[in-house]
Amino acid sequence: MLVLLPPSETKRLGGTGAPLDLRTLTYPSLHSSRRVLVRALVGLAKHPDAMMAALKLGRTQAAEVGRNRTLATSATMPVLDRYTGVLYDALDAATLTPSARAWAGEHVRVHSALFGPVGALDLIPGYRLSHDSRLPELALKKHWSGPVEKALRGDGLLLDLRSAGYAALGPAPVRPDSLYLRVVTQASDGRTRALNHFNKTAKGAFSRALIEHAEAFDSVTALLDWAESAGFTLRRGVTGELDLVVDQLIGASRG
């Protein structure tokens, strides 16, 4: 079973790990694609104005240029600890038990715009690059789509929690046990609609519950049965999707 998460634009600073070693990252088949992109980003960081334009950074975000310039030599930390933001605040990796973290390391992937999918415990530096960043002569969707699609092929249940922007950087395999998770709310008339901001909180809470439960489900039915027992309203949506139904009012008060 694999749980595929989106990254976050915001990252925790610092780290105690050795500098980036692309050879240690999950999915070795992505090594050359990662190396090309790292070199391109570090090179662009030597031209601050061009980088700020490419990454759509404001003046208060100028420090991101320096982080990209030194990303190959700066300290690293595990992926789950590096990312911050709404989803990762709800996941709260710092309070996971060692056994839960070990399960995440085996079954959770985060789809980075810079590194492609990486393991939850892979060591990465701080950086800034988003799915919609525009690097000179390097289109991220074209760069990643084929290699990521091949890397994600395989057997077993795959639960895709990525945003549409990151899913476009590498489609998940099309098969009955590969499912996209959509967060929705249900109106009084029974109709559902997608949530925007709170969907990140819901995905983070659901991911944490999966990690704490630490069971690699072998079927969609088993996942649905567990979700019900864990207090989540998870149901089949349109073909290839699952709907995580949440109460919008509760979500707004928590988010």
Side-chain angles (χ1 to χ4, degrees), residues 181-184 202-203 206 232-234 242-246:
L181 183 76
R182 190 177 302 278
V183 180
V184 301
K203 287 179 179 179
F206 184 75
F232 293 98
T233 303
L234 185 68
L242 293 177
D243 289 342
L244 178 61
V245 186
V246 300

Side-chain angles (χ1 to χ4, degrees), residues 117-184:
V118 288
L121 301 184
D122 287 357
L123 298 176
I124 62 169
Y127 69 92
R128 181 62 178 254
L129 188 72
S130 302
H131 68 86
D132 57 353
S133 298
R134 297 180 179 274
L135 299 181
E137 301 181 1
L138 204 163
L140 291 180
K141 184 175 180 180
K142 182 178 180 180
H143 182 79
W144 279 125
S145 185
V148 169
E149 184 178 12
K150 291 179 181 178
L152 293 177
R153 290 175 186 171
D155 299 324
L157 184 63
L158 188 152
L159 191 58
D160 188 353
L161 279 68
R162 295 176 297 173
S163 61
Y166 282 94
L169 295 186
V174 178
R175 59 174 195 259
D177 58 356
S178 176
L179 297 158
Y180 184 83
L181 183 76
R182 190 177 302 278
V183 180
V184 301

Side-chain angles (χ1 to χ4, degrees), residues 19-206:
L20 176 67
D21 184 351
L22 294 175
R23 297 169 298 180
T24 67
L25 301 183
T26 303
Y27 300 121
S29 64
L30 300 178
H31 178 78
S32 60
S33 298
R34 290 164 170 158
R35 183 175 56 193
V36 167
L37 201 48
V38 166
R39 288 178 176 175
L41 195 61
V42 171
L44 183 60
K46 297 176 182 177
H47 309 280
D49 290 341
M51 169 154 282
M52 292 185 71
L55 273 57
K56 303 176 184 177
L57 299 176
R59 293 191 177 279
T60 60
Q61 298 171 303
E64 301 286 2
V65 176
R67 293 189 187 103
N68 282 348
R69 187 185 301 119
T70 61
L71 72 86
T73 58
S74 58
T76 58
M77 69 173 66
V79 166
L80 275 191
D81 301 316
R82 177 65 72 186
Y83 293 108
T84 61
V86 177
L87 187 155
Y88 290 92
D89 286 347
L91 194 155
D92 196 12
T95 61
L96 291 172
T97 64
S99 60
R101 286 177 67 89
W103 189 90
E106 186 174 354
H107 298 282
V108 176
R109 306 287 183 262
V110 178
H111 192 163
S112 161
L114 178 58
F115 303 115
V118 288
L121 301 184
D122 287 357
L123 298 176
I124 62 169
Y127 69 92
R128 181 62 178 254
L129 188 72
S130 302
H131 68 86
D132 57 353
S133 298
R134 297 180 179 274
L135 299 181
E137 301 181 1
L138 204 163
L140 291 180
K141 184 175 180 180
K142 182 178 180 180
H143 182 79
W144 279 125
S145 185
V148 169
E149 184 178 12
K150 291 179 181 178
L152 293 177
R153 290 175 186 171
D155 299 324
L157 184 63
L158 188 152
L159 191 58
D160 188 353
L161 279 68
R162 295 176 297 173
S163 61
Y166 282 94
L169 295 186
V174 178
R175 59 174 195 259
D177 58 356
S178 176
L179 297 158
Y180 184 83
L181 183 76
R182 190 177 302 278
V183 180
V184 301
T185 188
Q186 186 168 305
S188 57
D189 61 4
R191 291 184 297 176
T192 59
R193 65 183 181 86
L195 286 181
N196 293 320
H197 175 77
F198 179 58
N199 90 88
K200 296 180 181 180
T201 300
K203 287 179 179 179
F206 184 75

Side-chain angles (χ1 to χ4, degrees), residues 231-253:
F232 293 98
T233 303
L234 185 68
R235 65 193 187 195
R236 293 182 186 272
V238 301
T239 302
E241 295 186 2
L242 293 177
D243 289 342
L244 178 61
V245 186
V246 300
D247 187 318
Q248 186 176 18
L249 295 179
I250 294 175
S253 66

